Amino acid sequence: MRSNNAHESFLVYRGLKFFWLAVALVFVAIVLYIWHEPLGVPNGGSWLGYTLGVISAVLVIWLTWFGVRKRQYALNETKLKVWLSAHIYFGLALVIIATLHSGFQIGWNIHSAAYILVLLTVASGIFGVFVYARYPKLMTKNRAGLSLDEMMGQISELDQALLKEGRQLPEELNTALLKAVRETYIGGNIVEKLSPKRIDCPTANARNLIETKYADLSSRDQSISKAIALLAKKQKILRRARRDIQIKVILRIWLFFHVPFAIALLGALVSHILAVFFYW
Amino acid sequence: MGTKNEIYQVAIIGSGPAGLSAGAHASVLGLRHILLEKADHASDTIYKFQKGKHVMATPDVLPLRSDVNFNMGSREDVLDTWNSALDKHQVNISYNAEVKNVSGGKGGFDLTLTNGDTIKTETIVLAIGLQGNLNTLRIPGSENVTHLQYQLDDPDEYEHETIIVIGAGDAAIENALGLCTHNTVYIANRGTEFSRAKEANEAAILSEIDKGRIIPLYNSNSKECTQGTLTFDTPDGDVTIECDRVIARLGAAPPRKFVEACGVSFPSDARNALPEVSKTYESNVKGLYIVGSLGGYPLIKQAINQGYEVIEFINGNTELDPADEPLITQTLKDIKDFDNDAFLKEVRVRLPIFEELNPLMEREMLVESTVTAPRKGTIIFERGDYTNSVYTIFRGSVKIQTNEDDPSQCVILEQGAFFGEVGLISGRRRSATILSNADDTILIETPRRTMLKLREDVRSLRDSMDKEAIVRQIQTYIASSLDIKAIQKLADSASIETFRKGEIIFNEGDEGDALYLISKGSVMVSKRIGGKDVTLAYVAAGNYVGEMALMSDLNRTATIKSAVDCETIKIDGDIFRKLVNENDSLQKEIEEKYGQRIVETEKMIEQPEAGSIVEFLMGEGIGEATDVLLIDESICIGCDNCEKACAETHNGISRLDREAGPTFANVHVPTSCRHCEHPHCMTDCPPDAIKRNPEGEVYITNDCIGCGNCERNCPYGVIQMAPEPPKKPGLFSWLLFGKGPGPGEDHSYKELAPEDARKTAVKCDMCKDITGGASCVRACPTGAAIRVKPDEFMDFIRDGGESL
Ligand SMILES: Cc1cc2nc3c(=O)[nH]c(=O)nc-3n(C[C@H](O)[C@H](O)[C@H](O)COP(=O)(O)OP(=O)(O)OC[C@H]3O[C@@H](n4cnc5c(N)ncnc54)[C@H](O)[C@@H]3O)c2cc1C
Ligand code: HEM
Ligand code: SF4
Ligand code: SF4
Ligand code: SF4
């Protein structure tokens, strides 16, 4: 069905077309490797080694080119989703091809640096796919149809109510409420964004303070109960808002590893090739 | 002002482009004249344009004929030119001279001004434009305070003030929104809702109120004001608010009342109807002439020309060639055997629907139309195209292929007939392919806007078109196998019924007495299941509903509600039933549809959540969309690559806002054009710069003069007025050397743009010039962004039930 195809996700594009292509590539490489092995100690120097090396190098360059292709918006030959699908499965295939290319000889040298970077890039890529597959749904669920703006709107409404309630309360509590209104934030620095629990939240503090002070339920008058209810409500929205930001950051932060690894890999690859040809 | 008892030869009311051009020419010809302007400066409409606004001089091909010069330029330059022309020609202009009453007749009119003065004149030129009078606040104190205003030119002018905006319409809301970032803003509403405003504005104001950034005063009637305060009458008693400024946006009274009071008649009650005038711009009141936008010419250049012409006419020169002659020549450039005059004459003889057009309307119609001479076999349009213009056959004939699969089945239309009106009414794709059927065929293709205007103004045209359209729609959408006699019978029993958005057409359980063919808009079908209304389907224009009850003896099995404003053709149930019984193939067709609907209903009943999605989408106005961008939030990673792609392929400005817009379940409707069946944005575009492609894309051409009407008229808030962004360095300079702001819209440019930068309307054009389709969709790395057409909605929702 046409409409169904139209919003098939990148992972299952055309019944895993690129997955099977990548599997085929790996399969051929493994068969050749096993068939080739008896002829001597395997390494990058044999004809198969060269072939696998060239394939790996081409793959690395092509995989990195994705960063450019992603931004060539005017090009119309294929959808980006198709590229991403291919990027993922051939990226994974690269691990095996590169491993075979190395003949399992890993040491502490420039050649292995390239190999390790392949592993790091791929690992970060796998993490990225995990993130892309998991978090959008969580984000939708967490938002429950609200946008972050709307959440902020609700918070400022609750703040108005809290200010009003605070005036009826003892000084100490009023100060705590004022603090909850004025000093509560969402976001913050990167650690706080990623782990909102670390935020020392004045709203939570205010609630704790009131609840411990009036631990005995019978001691709570109407305005105390109301303040607690408002604080609880605000905390709930704060949790949503912070979670929203957390997910947004998670969806992006892995690229700050993936891309530098990829660039470093490209550098290491060039060094590796130069080293092979000039200093072998 | 001349002597008190002077009788003028001509009094010109209104000094807009039309009036001041008339004044200048009257002065040049030495006529005893007076130009009356209610403001304290000339040309108030242009004066009120935004500071620095770029005024355009379209249409380019139309030569300017006036003693007043006019070139494209900034508002300031244009006004300077005009003011110096007024000086140079020593025009007798009176400011602060608002005419409130006109009496008498040709040769002896009496004008009364609001300041009590009276003026005698032989003829009148009415050039008051369409802006009307701003309604003012009439409460104790309102005359004496200085903090009360009725307009807001630039919201950024005010900071740290307390401002009360009065009104619940778009203007009030837009002002409040513009002011609320730097000021404390109240919005005073006589009721409790903002539903009169556009949906986008309503949503925006409610959200600002939610956030506490605008303070609403509901059920509040302003009662009195003193300097620095305003008092409201509210259900809780009087409330007085101290403020620095009150902005009352109470709307404008259209000039119609005044014009009617002058004795001028209007052809219809339609909101946008304009008075009828003769070839010499004379109205039904002899001696009273109407020019400019009030006369139906929405552009400055036309107004200026008419100002000149009307004075020539009044001065006795009835032989003057109209200035639009070159435009007519242009329209008729492919027609060899008629000169302009002969053609114009023949149009009314040969084409009955144009019979009652007056010469002015006819010229305008031709100027806007395209005249072609397609040889036999040439395709005029194809089934499935979206062009909604109407064709009339001036000479020759055309062939309509009524059956998609069998080209030999066809109907011939001869000279005098028209076609294409069904597309105009429904806003949907053409239902048949049409070819020229003779080598000497000449066709007039009249664009949508012109035709709609003529429909408003010329009763006979409207009636004959509607009548024909009923017959043709019944033939196309219900009973292609019936002979024309039987169809005529159905048509005679039929009536046109219209329904507002959300109105019920019939209820489940009602007795079935009629069949409804939807000719415009779309409807939702729902059923009560387990005590809850479950939406089962969306039915678009070009389909019928209500056959189930007619084919069985049951009552209505479902409720039908209009999803957007709808027009239906209601066909009498008994007559229909009888015809079906007599006609086997029709019976088969209807039964097939019936069966198909039952299957679809069963499917939907199993997926009540899909029904809620239909309901949500229809609520968002998608019932009138022809192509809409949706985002599946369960796989959207929020990378904004769609927006970047749009900006990169569209001159640096993104035409979609991904994050904005409502979400239901995991379906998100971002703010982006839906390419409406009847684009609201097209309604009031002075240069007719908004067009629709055969593929359905609604887009804006370079003719845009930047008036902002479309931005205001689009209920979905998807048009923005934007200056041209600066050129950016290329992708690789950015990737490798970090030059420039990188891909996507550079959000800083709008603030940096000079104040008088020319702004034009920008919106999604569905990437019509890009092969490969919508960039936004292509650039989405996960496949979350998709564009959907209405005929795919139901499939899409049903089949995608799980993931969407
Ligand atoms: C925002 C905007 C932008 C536009 N941009 C362009 C553009 O770039 N290019 C273009 O060609 N067109 C443009 N137009 C259209 C253009 O403004 C009109 O076509 C033009 O103003 C019509 O001229 P007019 O003389 O008929 O009426 P108006 O210009 O409306 O002039 C009417 C005059 O009559 C006066 N008046 C009214 N009632 C009375 C009374 N009772 N007594 C005395 N005086 C009275 C008014 O004060 C006013 O000065 C734009 C319109 C808008 C709203
Ligand atoms: C060595 C191999 C790889 C290299 C060199 C590489 C390189 C890149 C580059 C340059 C980008 C562009 C990022 C940007 O500009 O935003 C990218 C994106 C991405 N890569 Fe890789 N990659 C590799 C392997 C993988 C693997 C194995 C996976 C998954 C299993 C993967 C998943 C992704 C994803 C999901 C994106 C993000 C796409 C987007 O958000 O637009 N990559 N990669
Ligand atoms: S811009 Fe026009 S076509 Fe697009 S959504 Fe608005 S009114 Fe409809
Ligand atoms: S496109 Fe919009 S802004 Fe441009 S002229 Fe038409 S209505 Fe005015
Ligand atoms: S279809 Fe094209 S113009 Fe429209 S929003 Fe998408 S990218 Fe922009």
Side-chain angles (χ1 to χ4, degrees), chain A residues 110-175:
Chain A
I110 177 73
H111 313 291
S112 301
Y115 182 72
I116 289 166
L117 280 166
V118 167
L119 294 184
L120 286 174
T121 318
V122 171
S124 60
I126 293 173
F127 179 70
V129 169
F130 165 75
V131 161
Y132 280 9
R134 176 179 158 83
Y135 283 94
K137 282 200 188 70
L138 295 180
M139 178 140 123
T140 310
K141 202 166 139 216
N142 175 58
R143 278 188 183 166
L146 293 176
S147 68
L148 190 56
D149 262 355
E150 282 164 328
M151 294 180 211
M152 300 309 288
Q154 294 189 354
I155 290 177
S156 71
E157 219 169 71
L158 289 170
D159 281 346
Q160 298 295 330
L162 276 171
L163 285 178
K164 211 165 130 192
E165 224 43 64
R167 280 181 228 128
Q168 333 259 331
L169 296 177
E171 191 49 39
E172 186 194 4
L173 299 187
N174 188 22
T175 322

Side-chain angles (χ1 to χ4, degrees), chain A residues 178-199:
Chain A
L178 274 179
K179 219 169 150 178
V181 169
R182 300 220 176 103
E183 291 172 23
T184 304
Y185 58 90
I186 60 166
N189 63 33
I190 183 73
V191 177
E192 291 171 327
K193 275 185 184 148
L194 270 174
S195 167
K197 287 201 187 69
R198 283 165 187 265
I199 297 179

Side-chain angles (χ1 to χ4, degrees), chain A residues 203-219:
Chain A
T203 303
N205 296 343
R207 184 170 164 197
N208 285 339
L209 180 73
I210 304 187
E211 282 184 344
T212 23
K213 260 204 123 87
Y214 295 84
D216 178 6
L217 287 185
S218 61
S219 67

Side-chain angles (χ1 to χ4, degrees), chain B residues 672-676 678-682 698 713-719 763:
Chain B
S672 128
C673 177
R674 297 104 181 271
H675 303 272
C676 305
H678 294 272
H680 310 274
C681 52
M682 281 187 183
V698 176
N713 283 335
C714 168
Y716 306 110
V718 306
I719 299 185
K763 70 179 274 297

Side-chain angles (χ1 to χ4, degrees), chain B residues 604-649:
Chain B
M604 285 298 281
I605 290 177
E606 285 164 22
Q607 290 171 281
E609 72 286 0
S612 325
I613 295 179
V614 180
E615 180 97 43
F616 160 72
L617 289 176
M618 294 305 140
E620 292 307 317
I622 289 177
E624 63 173 336
T626 65
D627 192 297
V628 60
L629 179 65
L630 297 180
I631 292 182
D632 180 348
E633 280 213 331
S634 68
I635 51 175
C636 169
I637 53 169
C639 64
D640 278 336
N641 218 33
C642 47
E643 278 187 21
K644 288 184 192 138
C646 184
E648 286 303 306
T649 49

